[in-house]
Amino acid sequence: MEPDLFTAAAEERQEKDPSSSPLAVRMRPRTLDEVVGQQHLLKPGSPLRRLVGAGPGGGPGPAGPSSVILWGPPGTGKTTLAYVVSKATDKRFVELSAITAGVKEVRAVIEGARRAAGGFGRETVLFLDEIHRFSKAQQDSLLPAVENRWVTLIAATTENPYFSVISPLLSRSLLLTLESLTDEDLKGLLARALADERGLRGSLSLPSDAEAHLLRIAGGDARRVLTALEAAAGAALDKGESEISLQTVEETVDRAAVAYDRDGDQHYDVASALIKSIRGSDVDAALHYLARMIDAGEDPRFIARRLMISASEDIGLADPTALPTAVAAAQAVAMIGFPEAALTLSHATIALALAPKSNTATTAIGAALADVRAGSAGPVPSHLRDGHYQGAAKLGHAKGYVYPHDVPGAIAAQQYAPDAVHGKRYYEPTRYGAEARYADVVEKVRERLRGE
């Protein structure tokens, strides 16, 4: 790490008075062995072990450690792992945040790394937090340094790197996926924070019901659980209590942490889960995901658009009222907004989840599009072509066309599709819900069109 004067002063103050730092900072692991969870990334010989020089291959050479991209939800230890590397390695360590740094800062780090390597033979580890905030051009500026191993990059992101990190950088790095911490992981972290000299030093106890509530509101986030513990501990000490009661936890922390980022991966994952729950007719799961989106402040118009798509994609003619219901919900949501829009979205979600399902509208247009894109189109039959303009009759346009309303039943036996797809059946109705009626009708209509 290469701290500036102010960073060095802050670190010196924290060493003299650890209580000046948040509990989550004070309890940050000092070695990889203290890291909670992520054991799949910390096995002997793993890239992270090699970065800190632990075990064979930890040093420089042709099989030196690769650059890594750490991808995972907030509070799973991305910054912690980089911090451990900075403390444990004898390599030069530089930290940048994509929020404040730009190409100029990246180039300065790379130039410094080249000088350190050439003049002193020291390798440089660059930790870049929130790499997904870098533009394509900014990420491009890292490529030469990573490719030539002027720096070993540790990049952290909460967003899917396949969408947020450029392919050349991905191909030159190892992608390590961090998992949300389990309740057992967080229990161990709480126990350590309660007893450790860097934490609460055994000054308070934590009953099981209060612990369970802390785990519930943490949502697998280590930083969140320690922040909540610190707030509850402060309140308990102020009241002169020797334990952190459930009531104290509830008073200091009133909401659970919901893993949802409106601009990130969770935006699409939760939306996908909502639609798949509706498709699967699990109304309770659908309402759960809807609640997560509402609580996170998702745009209600986005939710309504997804419901309209679901009405045609997964329900279709099995319940012809599904699409009008979804459209009406979208119109109402646009007019009233939150918080009342939650009621309308709930109304529509329940109706769609419990509606009979049919995806025939989806498969029918998919099959038709596949034929068109494969070249099965051909000219429009001449009797169907526009015959209104001057000269159309000479070309034979509209000649022989039978006006359906002029025949009994209003179905004329004539060819409508081009020759290339004449007789092709795209719509295959189910017998679910109201579509059973269409199944009977379509066969009779096809027979009449064939003149049978």
Side-chain angles (χ1 to χ4, degrees):
M1 187 89 64
E2 294 188 337
D4 57 28
L5 185 61
F6 299 103
T7 303
E11 290 182 348
E12 183 180 354
R13 185 179 69 252
Q14 288 173 4
E15 289 179 4
K16 292 180 179 179
D17 181 17
S19 63
S20 65
S21 301
L23 181 62
V25 174
R26 302 202 305 272
M27 294 307 303
R28 187 172 279 166
R30 295 160 293 191
T31 67
L32 288 180
D33 292 330
E34 290 186 1
V35 172
V36 172
Q38 317 309 336
Q39 295 308 304
H40 62 294
L41 302 180
L42 300 174
K43 298 175 183 176
S46 68
L48 292 174
R49 292 279 182 189
R50 297 173 68 213
L51 272 172
V52 300
S66 301
S67 292
V68 297
I69 295 175
L70 302 175
W71 170 34
T76 50
K78 298 181 294 298
T79 305
T80 291
L81 289 171
Y83 175 82
V84 170
V85 170
S86 75
K87 294 297 182 184
T89 183
D90 59 357
K91 300 177 178 66
R92 179 172 172 267
F93 191 92
V94 182
E95 179 179 353
L96 293 177
S97 172
I99 298 175
T100 56
V103 173
K104 179 181 177 182
E105 288 77 11
V106 169
R107 287 176 176 165
V109 170
I110 293 171
E111 184 57 35
R114 295 181 68 178
R115 286 199 303 268
F120 307 101
R122 269 187 97 194
E123 296 179 60
T124 297
V125 175
L126 168 61
F127 174 57
L128 180 59
D129 199 13
E130 302 203 60
I131 189 174
H132 56 271
R133 295 182 181 272
F134 259 10
S135 66
K136 181 180 182 298
Q138 289 172 316
Q139 292 184 33
D140 280 336
S141 68
L142 294 164
L143 288 176
V146 172
E147 186 168 17
N148 293 295
R149 205 173 281 177
W150 298 331
V151 301
T152 299
L153 175 68
I154 304 178
T157 179
T158 56
E159 296 193 10
N160 190 330
Y162 290 105
F163 298 134
S164 59
V165 178
I166 59 174
S167 296
L169 193 55
L170 270 178
S171 68
R172 290 162 173 80
S173 309
L174 290 176
L175 176 59
L176 305 181
T177 303
L178 281 71
E179 300 170 351
S180 293
L181 300 181
T182 66
D183 283 355
E184 289 305 312
D185 292 332
L186 295 180
K187 281 182 181 180
L189 189 59
L190 286 171
R192 187 191 302 170
L194 286 164
D196 198 285
E197 284 299 312
R198 294 175 295 159
L200 300 177
R201 306 175 186 177
S203 58
L204 292 164
S205 62
L206 183 67
S208 58
D209 56 351
E211 178 188 65
H213 189 61
L214 284 172
L215 296 176
R216 185 164 55 251
I217 65 177
D221 186 325
R223 189 183 304 109
R224 172 83 179 188
V225 80
L226 289 176
T227 301
L229 174 64
E230 184 174 30
L237 290 172
D238 287 344
K239 292 188 287 185
E241 298 174 346
S242 60
E243 70 172 21
I244 305 171
S245 67
L246 174 59
Q247 180 180 350
T248 299
V249 175
E250 290 176 335
E251 289 172 353
T252 53
V253 187
D254 65 349
R255 292 189 75 166
V258 179
Y260 192 92
D261 179 356
R262 283 183 295 162
D263 300 316
D265 226 25
Q266 287 287 334
H267 167 85
Y268 299 103
D269 287 347
V270 176
S272 174
L274 168 65
I275 297 307
K276 287 173 181 171
S277 298
I278 291 174
R279 181 182 300 147
S281 300
D282 191 331
V283 64
D284 302 302
L287 286 168
H288 167 79
Y289 292 116
L290 174 64
R292 284 173 66 165
M293 298 173 83
I294 292 171
D295 189 63
E298 180 60 80
D299 185 342
R301 295 170 300 177
F302 170 78
I303 303 173
R305 287 195 296 270
R306 301 306 306 169
L307 295 179
M308 285 192 288
I309 294 169
S310 175
S312 291
E313 180 181 11
D314 296 314
I315 299 169
L317 294 173
D319 183 353
T321 68
L323 181 57
T325 297
V327 172
Q331 292 171 337
V333 160
M335 294 176 67
I336 60 179
F338 280 146
E340 291 83 357
L343 307 178
T344 303
L345 293 171
S346 174
H347 174 166
T349 297
I350 293 169
L352 299 188
L354 297 180
K357 304 297 189 294
S358 170
N359 70 340
T360 54
T362 302
T363 56
I365 191 60
L369 284 169
D371 275 353
V372 169
R373 290 164 181 168
S376 297
V380 175
S382 60
H383 61 281
L384 298 185
R385 298 182 189 181
D386 183 11
H388 289 88
Y389 62 91
Q390 188 176 4
K394 293 181 180 180
L395 298 173
H397 291 188
K399 184 178 180 180
Y401 171 66
V402 180
Y403 189 53
H405 297 291
D406 289 341
V407 300
I411 298 176
Q414 58 187 337
Q415 179 177 335
Y416 287 93
D419 290 340
V421 293
H422 181 51
K424 192 74 179 281
R425 296 166 64 112
Y426 294 118
Y427 176 52
E428 297 292 349
T430 71
R431 290 197 170 272
Y432 303 141
E435 195 169 26
R437 181 174 65 86
Y438 291 92
D440 294 331
V441 169
V442 71
E443 287 306 320
K444 294 178 181 178
V445 169
R446 284 168 174 162
E447 290 173 0
R448 291 284 300 274
L449 291 173
R450 294 193 297 266
E452 298 175 7

